[in-house]
Amino acid sequence: MVTQLLTADLGSTVPDLLAGSSVVAIVPATELLGWSAEMAWEVARAAASGGRRTVLIDCFVDAPTLHGVHEGNTEGLVDAFEYGASLNRIVQQQPQADLFFIPAGTYTAAAEPLMQHPRWKRLSAGFRHEEALLLLYVSAEHLAGLAAEPDGLIVLAPQGQGLAAAESPALAEAVGRGMPLLAVVADESAVARASGAHPMPTAPPPAAHELPDVHEEATLEPVPVRPSRPSRASAPFALLAPEEPSSSRGIWMLVILVVALAGLALAYRFGGLELVFGTKPRGQPTPAAARAPAPTTAPAAPRDSAMPAAPATLPAHAAALPLPFVVQVAALPSIAGAFTLRDTLAAHGTPALVAPVRLGATRGIYRVDAGPFATRRSADSTLAALRQAGLLPPNAGLTLSLPLSISLGSRAGRAEAEAERARLRAAGVPAFILGQPDGTFMLFAGAYDVPAQASLLQDLLTPTGSADSLVPRSGYLP
């Protein structure tokens, strides 16, 4: 009989459950990827709590979800397998003892060749030899070609075993081939509702200033773990995987460094160092022009005659400040649901935007973010206010640094910008407006960390003829 685990059971059950396994696949059987990511971390923490060296790897290389926002998805699995990066360098030791993490790393849309990489067999053999535990967070679709040959599966399904069996044919196929199903991790509240026990009270329709209940369809990202770079001695791969030969990139870096040092030496020898570092070589007088004080007023830049002049008095916050921070409220499977939640937040007085994000080759989610904000403190304050008002559960929501948006051009007036935003929304494109110090209003769309995340939005923009470049957004909320 398959073990069904609730969150409260993980700490007491997982160490013994995995005692006879060295390589275990953790497989989501739900669209709630935020919940699944948090459960994967909970399983990993529970496994490491038994004193066994445990490594969690994010194998969702085309849509990574496990990495912490503070560290970021830097070098990881793709860099190690495809580009020869050292596992000793990329593995991230966690604050909890005996727990390590390898992020997905450099984005790739070709996940299948990576799952079949021959290095998996050597890595798995090393873990078995050292009696350590390798946890692979992987999609059901990639189980068939996974060269790591897991000893068993842990399935993440909020409503328990029934959902795991019914919703994932690829998972059922893997179990049919003889891969042991060790446990199904379920959500307490979802199981209670599915079984009819302790039914949720029927709530009245939300008022104008209340957020709808989005638990069933929203994906809330897990609270990030702040990883720290391990020392070489603490890396769990010191014995398991010998250091890879250094790649040619290291040689080129050395060549570049030598050339740069030689250039600086020549600059210093011939008096050009002040052009490099803003200092003058010893023994040379400072030119008179350099001693003159800088002018207090910069010359006025020429204005485009077609551009309206800035109003005499702008709002106090009307400056071209970078706005890199947002608060993730939810991630929904449909653009219509995302627009509804965005409008509800706006009615409550909280500005918000929608960011489409591609998941795999054919699926996408629509992240709803409050903001944008100039500082993390401002974003955190909004997050706390939403929780205090009961609009978010106590542990829901997440402050993220996602500084990039697609620029959709400027409009002379706010009314014109709002008309363009309405046109784009009718076409299924979630645009938002930021005011600029020159009196114009810029339209932007999405909020991302790296360009690859904006691919779904760019596809949505193509039919509208409005696509522009991905830029760091700045301005003020009008």
Side-chain angles (χ1 to χ4, degrees):
M1 181 177 178
V2 177
T3 302
Q4 178 168 288
L5 301 177
L6 301 179
T7 307
D9 303 328
L10 297 179
S12 59
T13 307
V14 167
D16 291 337
L17 180 70
L18 303 184
S21 303
S22 295
V23 181
V24 174
I26 302 178
V27 184
T30 173
E31 296 294 322
L32 301 178
L33 296 184
W35 177 86
S36 297
E38 177 59 22
M39 288 304 100
W41 274 110
E42 290 296 330
V43 170
R45 294 180 189 118
S49 68
R52 189 179 182 190
R53 285 183 299 173
T54 301
V55 179
L56 175 63
I57 300 183
D58 190 349
C59 296
F60 278 76
V61 293
D62 52 353
T65 57
L66 293 184
H67 60 280
V69 297
H70 297 287
E71 184 76 11
N73 183 29
T74 53
E75 284 189 309
L77 178 64
V78 176
D79 304 273
F81 279 20
E82 296 297 328
Y83 305 116
S86 166
L87 286 173
N88 285 326
R89 186 177 76 250
I90 65 177
V91 66
Q92 300 174 4
Q93 185 173 7
Q94 301 302 295
Q96 179 175 337
D98 298 312
L99 181 58
F100 303 83
F101 173 57
I102 295 178
T106 300
Y107 173 81
T108 177
E112 290 188 8
L114 192 76
M115 297 301 104
Q116 299 167 4
H117 199 283
R119 192 169 179 184
W120 280 118
K121 293 187 180 295
R122 287 185 288 137
L123 186 60
S124 301
F127 273 79
R128 292 187 173 99
H129 180 267
E130 293 295 321
E131 298 182 351
L133 178 61
L134 181 62
L135 299 177
L136 306 177
Y137 184 63
V138 62
S139 70
E141 289 72 18
H142 291 140
L143 283 175
L146 184 59
E149 298 179 353
D151 302 320
L153 306 175
I154 292 180
V155 175
L156 308 176
Q159 294 178 346
Q161 298 177 28
L163 182 67
E167 296 295 329
S168 179
L171 184 59
E173 180 186 351
V175 175
R177 292 195 311 269
M179 191 173 292
L181 179 55
L182 303 177
V184 174
V185 177
D187 180 82
E188 288 90 340
S189 59
V191 170
R193 289 196 297 275
S195 64
H198 307 292
M200 298 292 288
T202 302
H209 297 311
E210 294 179 350
L211 287 179
D213 180 10
V214 296
H215 176 77
E216 290 297 336
E217 62 176 350
T219 318
L220 300 180
E221 290 297 322
V223 177
V225 177
R226 185 189 298 271
S228 58
R229 294 294 183 185
S231 65
R232 190 174 183 83
S234 66
F237 300 101
L239 297 176
L240 307 185
E243 193 76 17
E244 295 291 321
S246 60
S247 65
S248 59
R249 290 184 298 180
I251 299 175
W252 280 110
M253 290 299 296
L254 180 60
V255 172
I256 293 171
L257 178 61
V258 171
V259 172
L261 290 175
L264 289 177
L266 288 174
Y268 188 91
R269 173 66 180 85
F270 293 105
L273 197 62
E274 59 183 329
L275 299 178
V276 181
F277 288 115
T279 58
K280 66 182 184 66
R282 290 173 293 180
Q284 294 192 12
T286 302
R291 293 195 301 268
T296 57
T297 304
R303 289 183 58 86
D304 186 345
S305 58
M307 188 72 70
T313 304
L314 288 173
H317 57 283
L321 295 175
L323 300 173
F325 296 100
V326 298
V327 172
Q328 179 171 327
V329 176
L332 306 177
S334 71
I335 186 68
F339 275 137
T340 299
L341 181 53
R342 180 261 168 209
D343 293 344
T344 304
L345 287 168
H348 185 71
T350 301
L353 57 92
V354 176
V357 179
R358 192 184 304 280
L359 294 179
T362 59
R363 295 186 298 123
I365 58 171
Y366 300 88
R367 202 181 59 239
V368 181
D369 301 327
F373 305 97
T375 65
R376 184 177 292 275
R377 177 177 297 181
S378 299
D380 288 341
S381 177
T382 296
L383 175 57
L386 291 173
R387 290 172 175 171
Q388 185 175 7
L391 301 175
L392 281 176
N395 294 323
L398 190 65
T399 296
L400 300 172
S401 175
L402 302 173
L404 303 178
S405 292
I406 291 184
S407 168
L408 304 178
S410 64
R411 299 297 183 272
R414 181 169 178 174
E416 185 182 350
E418 290 176 346
E420 176 64 7
R421 180 179 61 185
R423 182 188 77 85
L424 291 170
R425 174 163 176 163
V429 176
F432 61 95
I433 301 171
L434 294 178
Q436 303 298 313
D438 63 2
T440 62
F441 293 86
M442 291 284 297
L443 283 99
F444 295 91
Y448 305 103
D449 183 28
V450 294
Q453 297 171 353
S455 62
L456 176 56
L457 177 57
Q458 289 168 333
D459 289 347
L460 295 175
L461 279 166
T462 299
T464 71
S466 300
D468 201 343
S469 57
L470 194 68
V471 299
R473 63 181 170 274
S474 62
Y476 68 91
L477 290 167

